[in-house]
Each structure stands twice: as structure tokens, then as C-alpha cells.
Amino acid sequence: MTVQATDWRFDKAADLPFVEQLVRHATQAIGEGRWTPGCRLPSIRQLAQQLEVSRFTVADAYERLVAAGLVVSRQGSGVYVARSPQTRQLVLEVDASSSALAKEVALMRRVMDTERFRLKPGSGCLPADWLGDEDIRAALRDLARQPTPLTEYGSAQGHPALRQQLSLRLEQLNIQAAPSQILMAASATHGLDLALRALVRPGDRVLVDDPGFYNFMAVLRLAGAVPVAVPRQLEGPDLAALRLALEQHKPILYITNSVLCNPVGASVSRSRAHKVLSALAEHRCWLLEDDIYADFDTQQSLRYASLAGFDRVLYLGSLSKTLSADFRVGFLAGNPALIADMTDIKLITGMSTSPSTESLIYRLLTGGRYRRHVEQLRRRLDDVRYPVLERLASLGLTPWHKPAGGFLCWLRLPPGQSAERLSRIAAELDVLLAPGRHFSSQPDADSYARFNIAHCQDERVWRALAQALDEGAKAAASHPPGS
């Protein structure tokens, strides 16, 4: 069987480049089984004439299909659909619903599912169009023009100039960290993993906030540690619960968002921070301060590391929330001995981090536009925060706390509503919600959900939420508790 040149679909008026249109069309045809294994594709000359494009365009498309394993090129014979049965189904991801950590990463997988969820008020990141990419593209072009090789390893601790810049940024937060006390990581999550490998052993108890960031629980279980939940209050962890956990469990580490805590959007107060540090010091418990929302903080909030330095305190930062989820960097600041240990672990487990990515981030931070970019993000969030909270309140969703910065909020649902049920209903409408049980193990966790105010600007979100709440109320009425 031969695929005819007339079988190809092509739109010269479309924004998508010609080559990508051809590759996409062929990939879909093979994946759907319309072009079966062994089918011969038209010659480069025939297809170029039929579509009225250059032979180079067709040749490039065929090369990409060969590289993807979808077709094979036979010398002197032509190009044929590959005979591998994998080309019939083109299953790009495995079914992970029963994997060992399925529960821990369920929400993360949904956040990254751009095909299923078009609207994401449950996301933990800003919308892509809020971040923009013009500055990133300009920095990439500038990077490409530099004589520095793009083919070498980076330095062990990461880009020296970027670490120097981060040292200056930490100084503005009253945190004193020399560039030698900073270790670059591929992301904040990578940095967290390095810290756990250095400090925690299987079976160790580690304190986490509740409600708190769900990925803290996941990485702890992956490390073989035992998470111990400490109730989170507006000013920080519940002190009585913290002291009790320190006495009973003898934890090695406490992990917390000090500023604009995910999911509740609150920051630790000065008086609470002093008492937390005192309690941890008494039990020789480390503190890992995750401050990835630092640039959204408009209240000049206090950091643990500004009070205690790096005496059993480790600081974790990132720029992915304000710059890019694609070009990710994270960094750790701590005492020299611990930084040296984590650098060794970094080299053993992943070699160096990408010097090109770190150079790109350095250019963005020092190019003069980053400060204006962050200020614009803050203003935009300020403009939408309270209108969104008021509209959510009109639907019966009550904020646990009204954040003064950032984009996350923790809301209690109307009586009788289940966050898990709302999430399932909303998913049928292509809307992602973040049920409370991903963030909390407290008995009333299913009565809460995390919302991202920046993703609540589309009317389709509000229509879907209203419909989900209406259907959820009917389900609750027909199946009351204890029925």
C-alpha cells in the first residue's frame, strides 16, 4: 500500500511552520492506524510538487519522522511506515494509576496535563501568558551569540556569577550567605532532594506543616522518612503541637514554607519564628526554609535564616514561579560543611547543573527588566486578588486567610460539599481543582480546596465551578453523611 500525496493535509495560512504541519499530520495518521506499518510514503519530489513546497521542507519532515521512529528510510527504495507495533498506538505515557507513589503525585500529573485540563484554578503556578517569554527569548539569543561553549559541564556548585547575584539578593532579605555558601540545583525540588539525602536517613521523623505543600510528603516518603504533621496556624506552626512532636518523635528536620505558605498564603510572624527556632534548637532539629515565593512577598516578611543564620538552618529558593517552569533553577544556602556535602551528592547523582540555563537566568536577573517584571506581576495579582476572593465568597467559599501577596488561597467549601467530589465533577468540564486532601491529613481536609487567583480570570472557570457546586449540593442532599 502506498500513501498518496493527496492524503496529506496542509494549510499554508496557518501560523504553524510547514515542516511541523507535515510531521503532525503524519504522526496523527500513523497513530490512528490510517497509515499502516509497511505503507510507502510519496517521494520527496512528489509530495513537494503536490503541496507546492520546497523539497527541503519535505526532506526535513521525513528526517524528523525517521528520528521519531515512525518511519524508516530504505536506500534506493523509499520511505515506509515503521513496522514496530508501538507506532500503531503511540502511547506516550504509561498508566501510572497504580504506581507506588500514585497518590502523592496525582495532583502534579493533573497540573501537567495540558491536553485534558484547559483551565487550572487548582494549579500551583502562574498562567504562561502572565509570565511572558519575550525576555527569555532575547536572553537566549544573547546567550547564543556568546563565545562560551555550550557543550561543557558547569562548575560543581553552579554558575559563579549567578551565585554572586543570589548572594546579593539574599542580603536584601537580611540573610548573609557568601557565593561559596550557595549551591545551584536544577529546581527547588532537586534542592530539597539533595538536602534530604544529606540530612535524613530511612526511618527518621521529619516535621511538615498541615496544611502544607503536598510534594514535601512525597519526597519524604521517597527518602524513606516518616512525615509528622504539625498543624499550621496563621502566624506559623502550632507551638504546642510542635513542642509535643519534638518530644515524642525526636525529628531530625522541620520543612516549612516561611513566607506565603502553600496552600494557605500566610507567613510566619517574628514572635512565632523566635519561639520555633528556640524549640528546634533545644532538640537539635534542623530547619529547611522553603522560600520559593520570595519575590511575591510585599510585606517584607521575616525569614528564619535572617534570625538564626545557618546554625542548623538551610535555605531553599527558586525562580521558576516568576520566570519560567521550563528554564528551572533552584538553589540552597547553608553552612559551608553542609554545602560541601550536598555538592558531593549533586555530583554523584547528577553531575553538574546546566551552565547554559544558569547563564540564561543570570542574564535575566541582571538585565534590568526582571525587577519591573516582578513589580508588574505583583500589581496584576493585587488587582485581581480581592475581586476573585469576593466572587468565591459569593459562591459560599470562605477563605481561611486573605493573603496580602502571592496567588494561592485556601478556601473552605459550603457545608456538605466534598472537595474530592467537586474535583471529579469539574474534571468532566476540563477544569482542574486542587482538593484539600492533597495538602492536609486533618479530619476536615475534604472541606477545603486550594485556589490560584491568577487562573480564575476566565468566565468558563466560574461557570464550571457553579455547575460543580450545584451538582455537588444535589449529591450531598441525596447521600447525607451516615446514610
Side-chain angles (χ1 to χ4, degrees):
M1 177 180 174
T2 300
V3 175
Q4 302 299 316
T6 53
D7 291 340
W8 294 71
R9 297 291 177 266
F10 185 70
D11 182 5
K12 287 190 174 182
D15 292 333
L16 196 66
F18 297 167
V19 170
E20 293 185 22
Q21 287 192 58
L22 296 178
V23 171
R24 181 173 296 185
H25 175 77
T27 300
Q28 184 176 358
I30 295 170
E32 293 175 352
R34 291 186 282 114
W35 297 358
T36 57
C39 285
R40 186 175 186 273
L41 272 58
S43 69
I44 292 174
R45 180 183 57 78
Q46 288 173 331
L47 189 56
Q49 288 180 344
Q50 172 66 33
L51 300 179
E52 297 181 343
V53 297
S54 74
R55 296 185 183 183
F56 295 108
T57 297
V58 176
D60 190 6
Y62 280 11
E63 284 292 335
R64 296 189 189 191
L65 292 170
V66 169
L70 299 177
V71 302
V72 293
S73 177
R74 298 174 186 167
Q75 186 72 27
S77 177
V79 178
Y80 298 82
V81 176
R83 293 190 177 278
S84 168
Q86 293 180 354
T87 64
R88 294 293 302 274
Q89 296 179 355
L90 291 177
V91 178
L92 300 181
E93 294 189 11
V94 299
D95 178 6
S97 59
S98 60
S99 64
L101 295 171
K103 182 179 178 181
E104 280 80 359
V105 301
L107 181 56
M108 194 181 303
R109 283 185 177 275
R110 291 178 193 144
V111 168
M112 295 179 179
D113 190 344
T114 56
E115 294 299 322
R116 180 181 179 189
F117 296 105
R118 304 293 182 177
L119 303 166
K120 298 184 179 182
S123 172
C125 301
L126 289 175
D129 59 355
W130 279 50
L131 297 175
D133 61 5
E134 295 85 359
D135 289 351
I136 295 175
R137 292 181 185 277
L140 279 169
R141 289 192 293 269
D142 184 40
L143 179 64
R145 288 193 292 265
Q146 301 305 310
T148 306
L150 300 177
T151 54
E152 296 181 354
Y153 290 119
S155 63
Q157 283 187 221
H159 196 286
L162 177 56
R163 286 189 284 118
Q164 186 172 6
Q165 181 65 24
L166 292 173
S167 174
L168 295 174
R169 287 167 59 81
L170 290 177
E171 190 174 338
Q172 296 172 6
L173 301 176
N174 296 315
I175 298 173
Q176 305 302 316
S180 61
Q181 291 178 260
I182 296 175
L183 171 65
M184 300 307 304
S187 65
T189 303
H190 179 218
L192 176 59
D193 180 65
L194 294 175
L196 294 183
R197 288 174 183 265
L199 296 174
V200 177
R201 298 294 174 265
D204 282 348
R205 269 55 177 173
V206 176
L207 306 182
V208 291
D209 293 325
D210 186 349
F213 183 37
Y214 59 88
N215 204 38
F216 289 165
M217 308 291 283
V219 294
L220 286 174
R221 292 196 177 99
L222 187 64
V226 180
V228 177
V230 177
R232 174 82 188 206
Q233 298 177 330
L234 183 60
E235 294 189 8
D238 181 312
L239 281 175
L242 175 68
R243 291 183 177 121
L244 182 61
L246 288 167
E247 288 286 349
Q248 290 184 343
H249 298 285
K250 311 299 181 187
I252 188 71
L253 176 67
Y254 169 41
I255 305 176
T256 184
N257 285 135
S258 53
V259 174
L260 297 175
C261 170
N262 183 355
V264 300
S267 302
V268 67
S269 69
R270 176 175 290 273
S271 61
R272 185 67 57 89
H274 278 290
K275 293 172 183 176
V276 168
L277 288 169
S278 176
L280 295 178
E282 182 181 346
H283 292 271
R284 297 189 59 77
C285 179
W286 281 85
L287 184 148
L288 195 157
E289 178 174 25
D290 183 334
D291 193 19
I292 64 172
Y293 304 103
D295 283 340
F296 296 103
D297 174 33
T298 60
Q299 306 298 302
Q300 297 182 324
S301 303
L302 174 140
R303 271 73 176 176
Y304 287 106
S306 67
L307 291 178
F310 297 113
D311 183 15
R312 302 188 79 84
V313 171
L314 185 61
Y315 180 94
L316 175 64
S318 169
L319 295 160
S320 64
K321 300 299 182 185
T322 51
L323 277 175
S324 171
D326 184 358
F327 297 98
R328 300 166 65 83
V329 297
F331 63 95
L332 293 147
N335 69 59
L338 182 57
I339 291 295
D341 288 345
M342 292 188 297
T343 302
D344 291 343
I345 295 169
K346 170 186 171 181
L347 293 173
I348 292 169
T349 59
M351 303 297 287
S352 68
T353 42
S354 167
S356 295
T357 298
E358 291 172 0
S359 179
L360 175 72
I361 298 301
Y362 173 74
R363 293 171 190 279
L364 290 169
L365 287 182
T366 57
R369 287 180 287 189
Y370 180 73
R371 179 182 56 82
R372 295 192 296 273
H373 167 67
V374 169
E375 289 175 350
Q376 182 181 32
L377 288 179
R378 289 176 174 178
R379 286 195 300 269
R380 195 170 180 181
L381 287 168
D382 287 344
D383 288 342
V384 304
R385 182 175 296 106
Y386 292 110
V388 167
L389 290 176
E390 288 177 2
R391 194 164 179 182
L392 288 167
S394 71
L395 294 176
L397 284 79
T398 308
W400 182 87
H401 161 67
K402 293 183 178 180
F407 48 85
L408 300 177
C409 53
W410 184 240
L411 295 124
R412 188 176 185 89
L413 304 179
Q417 291 279 10
S418 159
E420 291 288 347
R421 183 169 55 221
L422 282 180
S423 178
R424 289 193 297 269
I425 297 171
E428 296 299 318
L429 303 171
D430 299 327
V431 173
L432 172 72
L433 297 182
R437 284 181 178 161
H438 288 285
F439 307 90
S440 174
S441 60
Q442 296 182 26
D444 63 348
D446 195 39
S447 299
Y448 287 86
R450 185 191 72 180
F451 277 80
N452 184 325
I453 60 171
H455 281 272
C456 292
Q457 307 307 304
D458 193 310
E459 282 300 317
R460 291 175 295 174
V461 169
W462 296 102
R463 289 195 295 269
L465 185 57
Q467 181 177 335
L469 286 166
D470 182 57
E471 293 185 24
K474 291 176 181 177
S478 60
H479 298 89
S483 62

